[in-house]
Amino acid sequence: YGNTGSCDSKITYLDGDNGILRHRGYPIDQLARYSDFVETAYLVIYGELPTPTQRKDFGLLLRKNAAVETQMQKILEGFPTNASPMAMLSALVSALPAYHADLATNNFEKDMKHFDLAAAIAISKIRTFVAMIYRYQKGLPFMFPKQELPFCDNFLHMMFSEPYKDYIAMPEVAKALNLVLLLHADHEQNCSTSTVRMVGSSAANLFTSISAGVCALSGPLHGGANVAVMHMLQSIHDEGDDGTRFIAAAKSGTKGNRLMGFGHAVYRNFDPRAKIIGEACDEVLNKLGIDDPLLSIAKNLEQAALKDDYFISRKLYPNVDFYSGIIMRALGIPMNMFTTMFAIGRAPGYIANWREVASNPKGRIYRPRQIYVGHTKRDYVSIAKRT
Ligand code: CMC
């Protein structure tokens, strides 16, 4: 797919050589500075920044659809508590059509009539699912969402409140979470978004298509990279290395030794999200008074790699995952939940891409061809004659 424009899209513009990322024309740094996750989600999905009324209505729809049917808890409770959070998340998302059959008919025309509601359910409930998965793994009771709370505060409440004591998020924490989610809102035809489009092109409903995207996101080269970065930083820390040994190993080209959080399938320059999140990392940790040794290791690694011929000649720069894990850790989100956080952030991108597929009157099922490199024709040999 490296040289294939696999679809027409009006959602996200990405110029990898120059490190440019824009959603619906708006540069990512402006959105990061002035917008928030919910507003950017609206922009990505509907194509325009919302008017005050649209923003209010969208927020209300998200708030109204945050709670999860109690039967869905049983799906979660069927999992071993140490199961992968992404496996649990994809199972919960793929169960959504069963609970909203009228919105998920596998008929584009019918499903598009209910699109606004289905989109709000997907965004809001994926967030609730993630909080539920965290609580389930910790053996804690589920916390119901609170209608009066904004999106990120509500998530933090569902994650960290106790039945006898509300967790009140510090404004810095909610702001940082907004930023992390916003920076993940969409990213052109990445592996999971292409998967959503691929599955959606068969007229599969929105929820089913998103659940396929969640599965694609789970891999360590995609959404799992933020976890891999933290493992890498932690092992460097544990070994007392300043990063020099690790860089040497990464350059050796052996499998399993890549400098995680570096390089990108499209960017041949700084990932603009990495710049924003790297700066935010310092700010957030300072404000929260956290001194994380992994942050200094990350900075040393970055500086060393940016001066190293191996990385320079291959145009390998930090990507968004290089610093996102450090921020999430500072917010109290455990490492095994990082990829699920990516899924909350990426939901608007999945939805917007599915919408493009579903509303394209000239759309056809996606069916790429291949370059066949197998045997030419040969005749069947009976089993007795095979050695
Ligand atoms: N560390 C060391 N060497 C690397 C790295 C790395 N992180 N990334 C690429 N290379 C080497 C690669 O081995 C190849 O070397 P050579 O030319 O000697 O064979 C060369 O650089 C070019 O690789 P590429 O074609 O740019 O890489 P790719 O497009 O096949 O893979 C990637 C892109 C993101 C999978 C890869 O850079 C990687 O594995 N990075 C680490 C994992 C990571 O951080 N992933 C998150 C991506 S951003 C979030 C998202 O979109 O999901």
Side-chain angles (χ1 to χ4, degrees):
Y1 278 161
N3 283 321
T4 307
S6 64
C7 60
D8 291 347
S9 180
K10 293 181 178 167
I11 305 165
T12 289
Y13 174 75
L14 203 172
D15 174 349
D17 289 331
N18 295 305
I20 295 173
L21 173 63
R22 296 182 199 133
H23 296 318
R24 304 287 189 177
Y26 295 99
I28 191 67
D29 54 310
Q30 291 187 21
L31 294 171
R33 188 169 318 149
Y34 304 119
S35 186
D36 61 18
F37 174 64
V38 170
E39 185 186 68
T40 298
Y42 185 98
L43 169 72
V44 165
I45 296 170
Y46 294 104
E48 296 295 336
L49 287 167
T51 62
T53 311
Q54 288 167 334
R55 172 67 183 77
K56 194 166 152 254
D57 291 348
F58 185 54
L60 205 60
L61 207 53
L62 293 177
R63 286 169 197 233
K64 278 188 183 160
N65 288 287
V68 163
E69 293 68 15
T70 39
Q71 297 102 313
M72 289 197 91
Q73 293 180 11
K74 299 203 172 78
I75 300 178
L76 190 54
E77 285 160 0
F79 277 87
T81 48
N82 63 354
S84 145
M86 286 299 276
M88 298 190 201
L89 183 61
S90 68
L92 289 167
V93 178
S94 57
L96 278 175
Y99 293 86
H100 302 283
D102 47 336
L103 317 176
T105 63
N106 290 347
N107 172 309
F108 280 156
E109 218 174 297
K110 285 189 191 157
D111 287 356
M112 278 305 290
K113 283 195 186 130
H114 305 288
F115 173 78
D116 294 346
L117 179 57
I121 287 173
I123 296 179
S124 207
K125 291 198 178 174
I126 287 175
R127 169 199 51 176
T128 306
F129 290 154
V130 171
M132 286 169 66
I133 293 167
Y134 168 78
R135 309 276 305 189
Y136 176 62
Q137 289 199 317
K138 291 235 164 209
L140 297 169
F142 299 127
M143 295 304 300
F144 287 114
K146 288 192 174 193
Q147 281 235 4
E148 69 275 18
L149 290 179
F151 191 88
C152 286
D153 297 70
N154 210 354
F155 172 71
L156 292 162
H157 150 70
M158 288 189 277
M159 287 283 283
F160 302 128
S161 281
E162 297 298 345
Y164 48 86
K165 189 168 178 241
D166 277 350
Y167 171 94
I168 313 282
M170 285 164 69
E172 290 83 5
V173 170
K175 189 176 164 212
L177 182 59
N178 253 302
L179 179 71
V180 171
L181 297 181
L182 180 154
L183 289 177
H184 286 88
D186 190 42
H187 208 229
E188 209 223 37
Q189 292 313 308
N190 57 88
C191 177
S192 55
T193 302
S194 299
T195 302
V196 170
R197 287 187 88 110
M198 170 70 84
V199 174
S201 79
S202 74
N205 67 76
L206 176 68
F207 304 130
T208 301
S209 305
I210 295 177
S211 82
V214 171
C215 292
L217 187 66
S218 65
L221 298 185
H222 188 14
N226 47 23
V227 179
V229 170
M230 295 305 281
H231 280 305
M232 174 187 80
L233 296 175
Q234 190 64 53
S235 71
I236 292 173
H237 180 61
D238 293 347
E239 285 166 21
D241 181 14
D242 62 354
T244 317
R245 284 205 299 274
F246 196 90
I247 293 224
K251 284 159 60 174
S252 72
T254 48
K255 246 190 162 178
N257 277 327
R258 287 196 160 184
L259 183 52
M260 300 312 285
F262 254 72
H264 196 274
V266 181
Y267 291 117
R268 297 292 175 245
N269 203 318
F270 250 90
D271 176 341
R273 301 167 303 170
K275 268 191 198 160
I276 298 167
I277 213 160
E279 285 163 18
C281 225
D282 272 334
E283 204 182 308
V284 171
L285 268 64
N286 266 340
K287 279 205 177 130
L288 300 182
I290 295 172
D291 179 19
D292 189 339
L294 300 196
L295 179 60
S296 21
I297 294 177
K299 283 184 174 170
N300 286 345
L301 269 185
E302 178 183 350
Q303 287 316 311
L306 291 177
K307 281 187 217 133
D308 192 299
D309 249 6
Y310 174 93
F311 294 92
I312 296 170
S313 62
R314 287 168 179 75
K315 300 188 175 167
L316 301 171
Y317 294 90
N319 60 50
V320 67
D321 290 318
F322 197 63
Y323 287 109
S324 64
I326 297 177
I327 290 206
M328 286 196 274
R329 185 157 112 136
L331 304 186
I333 294 158
M335 198 153 72
N336 71 332
M337 298 301 296
F338 286 179
T339 315
T340 59
M341 299 302 295
F342 192 154
I344 304 177
R346 187 54 54 87
Y350 295 155
I351 293 165
N353 276 273
W354 182 90
R355 185 175 185 246
E356 274 194 346
V357 171
S359 54
N360 179 359
K362 292 191 181 151
R364 294 175 63 193
I365 190 164
Y366 282 24
R367 203 327 189 159
R369 297 302 310 273
Q370 63 173 9
I371 296 165
Y372 177 72
V373 294
H375 289 286
T376 51
K377 179 182 177 284
R378 51 187 179 158
D379 290 322
Y380 183 80
V381 180
S382 68
I383 194 160
K385 290 190 181 154
R386 288 176 232 155
T387 51

